[in-house]
């Protein structure tokens, strides 16, 4: 029962965190819009029927039933049709009607012409549209700072985590020791899990890599080790055994030979592994971590079509899900539930994982909203930039001002994008239900 409650708690934390992230994203649009004098009719979290709302001044603030997004309603999002242009109706085609309906809906929000969105200078419109993604970026930076500088990250320590009973060669098909196997040198010397290596042959040990290098290079050589055990220094003599091990590159990936087989080498081994511990990082580690997350999400989006195909094949076939592939809100909630329900992990580490998960979600929200397609923020930014370029060229060649870009003409494309995004979301949700990405 306790595990179930913890699982539900993880989901609730992510849902609340996602709602707060969406609220702050829309606040990033709202603040500059009001600062630039645009009339904002609504500030809503979610879509569908309104659950709660309250009007303050000219703006209605509220929460809707489906918490999968949010929006602010600005006066004059789309410019009116050019003078002399022919208003189209349903008889001229479905897409033309969509364009006209968008203009008419936008026109109903115009109460004061000088306070419309399309009347703003290009740079102000760009600031408004980038305000949402910027807020997600800022939130991601804060959350990653809490994780890295407050909780710390798991790093290899100089403390021994495990001591093997025996040492098996890398090519051995067995994974467990048998009674006939010779005792591992570390166990024979009396090393215990929890011992912290202080020095080897008089050389102070600062990192696990340093101790591993000495051990690997000393097969058959007695090593005078000093370890700290329960606050007391203990002297131990251990003799590394010459053992076959795989060769790894700088990225800790096994190296293959020209024949395609994994390369091995003979090195000294004691049969000990390092323990991991939370180590707080300097503040300078935050931005590089955010940058790595941005690059990772960007890579997923750039390869989204093939990633979605992989998800579909996994959802409807025998293939396994790619743990680094896209997931839906349902998938994020499942991962959060798994994290909180693992009772073998300290509470502090579980909290750190959840905060890091929310930080990654905010990076994903930022990058996704910058895709240059309507109705995403990036699409509006591209429209504003194109208008600025047109007006600059018109001014350069002394031509009449071409006026605002008629972004309402992109409504058919917007509808297509919405349908595609809806389909992808439905597929990801289905895949996260029938074949989820799991930590367990």
């Amino acid at each position: 029962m306790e595990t179930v409650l913890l699982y539900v708690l993880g989901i609730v934390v992510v849902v609340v965190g996602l709602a707060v992230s969406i609220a702050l994203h829309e606040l990033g649009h709202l603040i500059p819009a009001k600062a630039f004098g645009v009339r904002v009719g609504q500030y809503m979290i979610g879509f569908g029927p309104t659950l709660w709302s309250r009007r303050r001044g000219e703006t209605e603030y509220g929460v809707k039933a489906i918490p999968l997004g949010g929006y602010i309603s600005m006066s004059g999002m789309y410019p009116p049709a050019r003078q002399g242009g022919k208003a189209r109706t349903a008889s001229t085609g479905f897409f033309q009607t969509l364009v006209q309906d968008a203009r008419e809906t936008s026109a109903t929000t115009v109460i004061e012409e000088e306070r419309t969105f399309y009347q703003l200078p290009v740079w102000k419109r760009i600031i408004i549209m980038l305000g949402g993604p910027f807020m997600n970026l800022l939130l991601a930076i804060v959350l990653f700072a809490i994780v890295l500088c407050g909780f710390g990250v798991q790093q290899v320590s100089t403390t021994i985590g495990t001591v093997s009973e025996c040492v098996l060669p890398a090519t051995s098909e067995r994974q467990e020791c048998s009674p006939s196997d010779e005792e591992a040198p570390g166990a024979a010397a009396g090393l215990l899990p929890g011992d912290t290596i202080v020095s080897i042959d008089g050389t102070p040990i600062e990192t696990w890599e340093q101790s591993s290098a000495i051990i690997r290079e000393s097969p058959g050589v007695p090593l005078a080790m000093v370890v700290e055990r329960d606050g007391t220094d203990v002297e131990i003599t251990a003799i590394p055994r010459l053992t076959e091990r795989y060769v790894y590159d700088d990225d800790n990936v096994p190296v293959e030979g020209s024949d395609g087989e994994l390369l091995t080498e003979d090195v000294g081994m004691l049969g000990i592994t390092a323990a991991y511990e939370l180590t707080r990082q300097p503040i300078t580690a935050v931005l590089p971590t955010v940058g790595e997350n941005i690059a990772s999400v960007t890579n997923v989006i750039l390869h989204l079509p093939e990633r979605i195909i992989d998800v579909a094949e996994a959802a409807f076939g025998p293939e396994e899900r790619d743990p680094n592939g896209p997931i839906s809100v349902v998938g994020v909630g499942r991962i959060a539930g798994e994290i909180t329900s693992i009772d073998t992990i300290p509470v502090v580490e579980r909290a750190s994982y959840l905060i890091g998960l929310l930080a990654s979600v905010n990076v994903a929200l930022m990058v996704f909203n910058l895709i240059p397609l309507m109705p995403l923020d990036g699409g509006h930014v591209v429209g504003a930039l194109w208008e600025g370029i047109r007006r600059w060229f018109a001014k350069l060649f002394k031509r009449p001002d071409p006026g605002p870009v008629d972004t309402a003409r992109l409504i058919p494309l917007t509808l297509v994008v919405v349908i595609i995004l809806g389909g992808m979301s439905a597929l990801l949700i289905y895949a996260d239900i029938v074949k989820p990405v799991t930590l367990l």
Side-chain angles (χ1 to χ4, degrees):
M1 185 63 181
E2 181 181 354
T3 301
V4 174
L5 292 176
L6 288 173
Y7 191 95
V8 173
L9 176 62
I11 295 175
V12 170
V13 168
V14 165
V15 170
V16 172
L18 184 60
V20 171
S21 300
I22 293 171
L24 291 176
H25 175 97
E26 298 306 328
L27 195 63
H29 294 310
L30 180 71
I31 292 174
K34 284 185 171 289
F36 294 146
V38 178
R39 187 179 187 278
V40 181
Q42 286 185 315
Y43 169 89
M44 290 290 170
I45 306 303
F47 300 106
T50 301
L51 300 178
W52 171 89
S53 71
R54 177 174 296 177
R55 180 170 293 277
R56 291 198 174 185
E58 63 188 16
T59 305
E60 179 188 9
Y61 300 86
V63 177
K64 291 182 174 288
I66 306 174
L68 295 179
Y71 66 92
I72 66 170
S73 175
M74 292 183 287
S75 176
M77 277 293 291
Y78 299 109
R82 288 186 178 182
Q83 291 185 352
K86 185 178 180 181
R88 298 184 181 271
T89 62
S91 62
T92 62
F94 173 71
F95 289 121
Q96 291 88 343
T97 302
L98 288 177
V99 173
Q100 184 61 24
D101 288 346
R103 291 197 185 106
E104 291 175 355
T105 302
S106 179
T108 62
T109 66
V110 178
I111 297 177
E112 302 170 80
E113 186 72 24
E114 68 277 4
R115 297 185 61 198
T116 55
F117 176 75
Y118 73 86
Q119 292 276 27
L120 289 177
V122 168
W123 67 272
K124 288 186 177 181
R125 275 180 279 163
I126 291 176
I127 288 177
I128 290 174
M129 298 318 300
L130 290 181
F134 174 78
M135 191 66 78
N136 289 127
L137 174 62
L138 188 62
L139 186 56
I141 291 174
V142 171
L143 293 176
F144 273 124
I146 293 174
V147 171
L148 296 175
C149 306
F151 291 98
V153 297
Q154 289 281 3
Q155 289 187 334
V156 175
S157 67
T158 55
T159 299
I160 298 173
T162 62
V163 179
S164 300
E165 296 178 4
C166 66
V167 176
L168 299 174
T171 54
S172 174
E173 296 181 357
R174 290 190 294 112
Q175 299 296 321
E176 297 182 358
C177 297
S178 67
S180 61
D181 289 327
E182 189 177 348
E183 190 176 18
L191 292 173
L192 300 175
D195 288 349
T196 300
I197 301 176
V198 177
S199 66
I200 299 178
D201 278 347
T203 302
I205 299 301
E206 303 293 337
T207 65
W208 185 263
E209 290 75 14
Q210 182 185 7
S211 63
S212 295
I214 295 174
I215 294 170
R216 284 196 302 268
E217 296 168 2
S218 308
V221 179
L223 298 177
M225 303 179 64
V226 177
V227 298
E228 181 182 331
R229 181 181 298 167
D230 298 328
T232 304
D233 286 349
V234 177
E235 295 182 359
I236 290 175
T237 299
I239 305 175
R241 179 182 303 155
L242 189 65
T243 308
E244 184 183 45
R245 281 290 178 262
Y246 288 118
V247 178
Y248 292 87
D249 61 17
D250 293 337
D251 296 324
N252 203 34
V253 176
V255 178
E256 292 185 357
S258 57
D259 57 356
E261 297 293 327
L262 295 178
L263 296 180
T264 61
E265 61 180 347
D266 292 331
V267 296
M269 295 290 293
L270 289 180
I272 59 176
T273 61
Y276 285 77
E277 61 184 21
L278 284 174
T279 304
R280 291 181 178 177
Q281 305 297 300
I283 194 67
T284 53
V286 175
L287 291 183
T289 301
V290 174
E292 290 173 4
N293 271 260
I294 292 175
S296 177
V297 173
T298 301
N299 180 65
V300 170
I301 291 176
L302 290 176
H303 298 88
L304 194 56
E306 59 191 83
R307 295 294 185 102
I308 291 297
I309 292 174
D310 291 341
V311 171
E313 291 177 347
F316 299 103
E319 290 80 3
E320 293 297 323
R321 288 283 299 276
D322 179 2
N324 297 316
I327 60 175
S328 69
V329 175
V330 172
V332 173
R334 292 189 69 139
I335 290 176
E338 289 181 3
I339 291 172
T340 54
S341 61
I342 301 176
D343 55 10
T344 56
I345 299 178
V347 174
V348 172
E349 291 187 29
R350 282 182 271 179
S352 175
Y353 289 146
L354 283 179
I355 295 174
L357 183 63
L358 288 174
S360 298
V361 166
N362 273 275
V363 169
L365 287 174
M366 181 202 73
V367 176
F368 183 76
N369 273 284
L370 290 178
I371 295 175
L373 292 173
M374 301 282 278
L376 302 173
D377 298 333
H380 289 284
V381 171
V382 169
L385 289 173
W386 176 239
E387 178 181 321
I389 292 172
R390 291 174 66 222
R391 285 182 158 172
W392 183 81
F393 273 106
K395 185 177 180 180
L396 179 65
F397 294 104
K398 298 182 173 22
R399 295 173 180 172
D401 187 345
V405 170
D406 188 5
T407 51
R409 290 181 177 275
L410 297 176
I411 290 297
L413 175 61
T414 301
L415 178 62
V416 173
V417 173
V418 169
I419 292 174
I420 292 174
L421 293 179
M424 288 193 302
S425 298
L427 173 61
L428 289 174
I429 290 174
Y430 175 77
D432 287 334
I433 293 174
V434 299
K435 192 172 288 186
V437 174
T438 178
L439 300 177
L440 302 177

